[in-house]
Amino acid sequence: MNILVFKTSVSEEEQIGKITPLLDSVPTIKHWNFDLDDCDNILRIVSNNLDPESIEVLLQTAGFYCQELAD
């Protein structure tokens, strides 16, 4: 299992509702959550063999900024 961490522009629960179907549709994602209390509005994803760029593109096409944070 890998844990990927992203900085996002998602800042409200309503926005998470818009993104939920997108993230739930990715079969390799085992679990995901947002930390909106963090200044970077963190998205954490637990997954097997997931390309971080695919998540960045997925959120960007939904209208949100998303960039993987380096280790």
Side-chain angles (χ1 to χ4, degrees):
M1 292 283 185
N2 295 329
I3 299 175
L4 303 174
V5 180
F6 300 89
K7 177 180 181 174
T8 74
S9 64
V10 176
S11 61
E12 300 175 4
E13 291 291 332
E14 296 81 26
Q15 295 171 325
I16 294 174
K18 179 180 177 182
I19 296 167
T20 295
L22 300 174
L23 294 174
D24 287 347
S25 72
V26 180
T28 57
I29 294 178
K30 302 302 178 195
H31 177 76
W32 61 267
N33 70 308
F34 279 92
D35 181 357
L36 300 183
D37 293 329
D38 187 279
C39 65
D40 289 330
N41 299 318
I42 295 295
L43 167 62
R44 287 183 187 85
I45 295 178
V46 178
S47 175
N48 287 326
N49 197 23
L50 181 66
D51 178 21
E53 290 179 7
S54 66
I55 298 300
E56 292 172 355
V57 170
L58 187 68
L59 264 68
Q60 289 168 2
T61 57
F64 298 98
Y65 171 82
C66 180
Q67 180 179 7
E68 183 183 24
L69 296 177
D71 288 340

